[in-house]
Amino acid sequence: MSLSSRFAGFRAPLVIAALLLSATSAHALPSYARQTEQECVSCHVGAIGPQLTPYGQKFKIGGYTDGKIADWGIPLSAHIIAGATHTNKDQDGPAAENFKSNDNVAIQEVSGFVGGKLSDHVGTFSQVTLSGIEQRVGWDNIDVRYARELKFGTTDAVLGVSLNNSPTVQDPFNTVGVWAYPYTSSDLGFGAPSNALLTGENALYGLGQNVLGLTGYAFIADSVYAELGGYRRLNGNTLSRLGAGRDSAVPLTGFTPYYRLAYTKDFNHQNLSLGLIGLNSSFKPEDGGGAKDKFKDIGLDASYQFLGTRKHIGTVNAAYIREKQTLDYTLAEGGADHRSQTLKSYNLNAAYYFMNTYGATVGLFGSKGNEDATLYADNRLARPNTTGTTVQLDWTPTGKESFTGPAWLNYRLALQYTAFSKYDGAKSDYDGTGRKASDNNTLFLYLWSAL
Amino acid sequence: MKPRLLTALSLLVVSLAASAAGDAGRGADSFDANCAECHSVAKTLKNKKGPTLFGIVGRPSASIAGFDYSPALKAAGFAWSQEKLDAYVTAPKKLVPEGKMKFDGIADASERADLLSFLAEQK
């Protein structure tokens, strides 16, 4: 969608799968609230959304095991996201199969979850999604954990392992990848591009829901978070059985290391975190005669939350990712002019919430890459550069003590606008047909409800 | 001079007493910032992760029926006097070493006084 190349044919299924089953995922689970007897706002700034408070981060790091096991043994939840999408100018074709080129209304996704404590030390966030756009059911974000609290001398620590299917889905901070802002976006419009593998997919490959990873982590003295692990590919048969589609399989070779180091400090009224995150991956398509495409992603991130008395809440999240690409396979196949490429991307967002109910968020995003007339053949300036702003206003009356309605009812109504100042390398005529970046500006009105 | 001195001394005494008792208004803010995530003071006696704090002052420890207290707190056998609450809010693990409450405590004595003043009104 955001980048084009002669490889678009084989990457399209990856991108579609990633868009439908990953980029729009943003979840808080009522089953967690039932398990911990806490309100949604204890874990999420402004609830329902995924921006975790320190309490929520610790709940995730603790393996989703705090609290009691569900009465019926399996902690179940569900949610639905439905919305209306308008773009500044009609898209060149249908926004998706069975949809119009503009002004679409859709039930974007219906998800079922097993979310919460399974035993004293095992918990999960496991999601199956029916995409209302693609009209198929498949596995979505999966994170199954084992965690234990230990004491080393006078120092408290949590040690755990996560079995998951997407790099960053297990991350407790909301700065990079799966859980970064915007937490939900339209599948039928244009959103901030995900340009690095670390954030899900790049111009050539996608990892989200196409791999299986095992990582081990330690959270020491409530301040140092360290995680190390890796990912392996899943074959087409397995992905087909999981509903992700046989074509989603990626030729990932061997073991793909993932690492994360962060320092966080909770001052109760406010908190901050600083971190480093990275992923090194290598792909060897069968028809390449042994040639590989390699990617080294490294990112820096930071976040700050002012929680105060929870009447006025302010948050800032920032991330910068640099992806070094060595494209031996793509070059050999005539898919790029240059073997070595670099892609840099950033996101910076600030949010204000009043009474954990009324929210306003502004997010800046951007990416910048090398000029390559073949890799970016459909871009008039042969560059992937895209910049823009996403603004969201939302109203979430549920999930707090002051809400007097039924405890099972959770919903958010939100209006989101994404404006592009540059798209695929240019402000105007970015694709040689006269289309402007601002033609892709997307207005998304959505309702998100969970039970 | 004498009446003025007396007035000044009276004001000082009243001020010191108020300081010792704390400011319930500021205490409400402290409660929202430090406690409300896990405790409620609603008159409906709502338990969250922590037990209701409505009527906490003077209440016997571990006495809310149906709440899953730690064995340590069950065995404590004291009543939540202002002094006990102050000690607990200062350093929970010091008063109840094997307790479940995950809270580092409030070091500032005046903030604790404000908070206890607010809690005393929740009855």
Side-chain angles (χ1 to χ4, degrees):
Chain A
M1 193 171 79
S2 61
L3 298 169
S4 51
S5 76
R6 60 195 301 175
F7 279 43
F10 83 71
R11 73 179 166 82
L14 305 179
V15 175
I16 290 169
L19 284 174
L20 294 185
L21 295 176
S22 178
T24 59
S25 298
H27 316 301
L29 297 185
S31 57
Y32 293 152
R34 288 189 284 272
Q35 169 182 318
T36 59
E37 299 184 85
Q38 296 289 80
E39 282 116 11
C40 301
V41 293
S42 295
C43 287
H44 298 278
V45 170
I48 304 177
Q51 190 169 204
L52 293 173
T53 63
Y55 182 89
Q57 291 165 358
K58 288 171 189 169
F59 175 72
K60 185 171 182 176
I61 291 168
Y64 311 106
T65 59
D66 196 14
K68 61 185 182 185
I69 292 179
D71 292 339
W72 49 88
I74 299 175
L76 298 173
S77 268
H79 85 193
I80 183 170
I81 297 174
T85 303
H86 170 77
T87 51
N88 246 12
K89 189 178 176 184
D90 291 357
Q91 297 184 46
D92 294 338
E97 197 176 342
N98 300 318
F99 286 90
K100 298 181 292 182
S101 59
N102 205 348
D103 299 323
N104 287 295
V105 177
I107 294 175
Q108 187 157 295
E109 66 176 64
V110 179
S111 294
F113 301 86
V114 176
K117 183 174 188 170
L118 300 176
S119 72
D120 284 350
H121 301 291
V122 177
T124 181
F125 178 103
S126 296
Q127 177 183 15
V128 174
T129 292
L130 164 64
S131 166
I133 310 301
E134 209 181 27
Q135 295 178 353
R136 69 177 173 85
V137 179
W139 77 337
D140 204 326
N141 295 307
I142 304 291
D143 178 19
V144 181
R145 290 175 182 242
Y146 174 87
R148 286 196 87 106
E149 289 184 21
L150 298 170
K151 214 169 178 74
F152 298 98
T154 57
T155 304
D156 291 321
V158 178
L159 300 183
V161 292
S162 164
L163 180 70
N164 64 79
N165 68 346
S166 184
T168 73
V169 76
Q170 76 277 35
D171 198 55
F173 306 101
N174 296 99
T175 48
V176 178
V178 176
W179 308 118
Y181 177 80
Y183 314 111
T184 300
S185 57
S186 174
D187 289 343
L188 297 168
F190 297 83
S194 174
N195 282 325
L197 277 171
L198 189 55
T199 62
E201 49 101 5
N202 65 11
L204 298 169
Y205 306 98
L207 296 181
Q209 285 86 44
N210 300 326
V211 293
L212 198 62
L214 187 67
T215 61
Y217 61 90
F219 186 48
I220 302 162
D222 282 346
S223 55
V224 175
Y225 180 83
E227 182 178 359
L228 187 63
Y231 291 83
R232 293 187 72 95
R233 69 185 291 265
L234 291 172
N235 64 39
N237 286 338
T238 304
L239 288 170
S240 178
R241 281 194 289 271
L242 292 167
R246 184 178 300 275
D247 294 340
S248 297
V250 286
L252 192 65
T253 62
F255 180 77
T256 297
Y258 169 92
Y259 55 93
R260 177 72 155 128
L261 185 64
Y263 174 81
T264 183
K265 184 70 180 171
D266 178 12
F267 299 98
N268 222 20
H269 300 235
Q270 56 189 332
N271 64 83
L272 57 84
S273 72
L274 297 167
L276 172 76
I277 188 167
L279 182 82
N280 294 347
S281 49
S282 174
F283 299 84
K284 189 171 76 173
E286 287 177 3
D287 60 352
K292 295 178 181 176
D293 286 340
K294 296 178 181 174
F295 303 87
K296 282 188 180 177
D297 291 52
I298 187 163
L300 296 172
D301 68 304
S303 68
Y304 170 79
Q305 295 179 342
F306 173 79
L307 299 176
T309 64
R310 277 57 170 179
K311 184 176 182 185
H312 302 284
I313 294 177
T315 68
V316 179
N317 297 301
Y320 172 81
I321 296 170
R322 182 180 184 276
E323 183 172 88
K324 177 87 177 74
Q325 308 175 340
T326 307
L327 307 178
D328 287 321
Y329 167 78
T330 301
L331 184 69
E333 294 295 307
D337 295 337
H338 307 291
R339 174 176 177 266
S340 294
Q341 313 248 359
T342 303
L343 196 66
K344 301 167 185 170
S345 61
Y346 68 86
N347 68 66
L348 171 67
N349 59 80
Y352 167 75
Y353 276 86
F354 177 65
M355 300 296 281
N356 258 323
T357 302
Y358 304 94
T361 308
V362 178
L364 308 176
F365 58 83
S367 60
K368 190 176 182 181
N370 296 95
E371 181 180 342
D372 191 304
T374 303
L375 184 61
Y376 305 114
D378 293 341
N379 302 357
R380 182 174 59 84
L381 297 182
R383 287 183 181 275
N385 304 1
T386 296
T387 54
T389 306
T390 299
V391 179
Q392 178 170 301
L393 302 174
D394 49 68
W395 173 63
T396 315
T398 60
K400 67 208 76 172
E401 192 170 349
S402 58
F403 178 63
T404 55
W408 53 265
L409 181 61
N410 294 279
Y411 60 90
R412 161 174 287 178
L413 188 62
L415 185 65
Q416 184 185 93
Y417 188 68
T418 300
F420 295 92
S421 50
K422 190 180 280 186
Y423 197 90
D424 279 357
K427 183 177 180 182
S428 59
D429 190 23
Y430 67 80
D431 59 356
T433 68
R435 193 169 178 91
K436 296 182 287 189
S438 61
D439 291 341
N440 297 340
N441 291 1
T442 298
L443 184 67
F444 183 41
L445 173 67
Y446 69 90
L447 175 71
W448 172 18
S449 183
L451 55 89
Chain B
M1 282 299 286
K2 276 185 180 173
R4 281 188 183 177
L5 184 61
L6 198 61
T7 306
L9 282 171
S10 303
L11 284 173
L12 183 62
V13 168
V14 168
S15 165
L16 286 172
S19 167
D23 181 312
R26 287 201 303 263
D29 285 346
S30 178
F31 180 85
D32 286 343
N34 295 294
C35 317
E37 219 158 59
C38 298
H39 294 279
S40 169
V41 288
K43 289 179 181 174
T44 52
L45 302 181
K46 178 183 170 65
N47 292 327
K48 296 161 86 171
K49 185 174 176 58
T52 174
L53 295 185
F54 184 78
I56 180 65
V57 177
R59 191 167 81 199
S61 58
S63 61
I64 296 293
F67 187 82
D68 184 23
Y69 290 99
S70 65
L73 199 55
K74 282 179 187 168
F78 56 71
W80 287 113
S81 62
Q82 289 274 359
E83 292 72 27
K84 284 287 186 204
L85 281 169
D86 187 57
Y88 194 56
V89 173
T90 303
K93 296 287 186 198
K94 221 169 183 177
L95 186 68
V96 187
E98 299 299 319
K100 286 200 296 191
M101 189 161 90
K102 291 176 181 171
F103 182 60
D104 292 336
I106 299 174
D108 184 340
S110 67
E111 185 178 356
R112 291 200 307 274
D114 293 340
L115 177 61
L116 296 191
S117 192
F118 168 75
L119 289 175
E121 290 184 353
Q122 308 308 307
K123 56 186 179 184

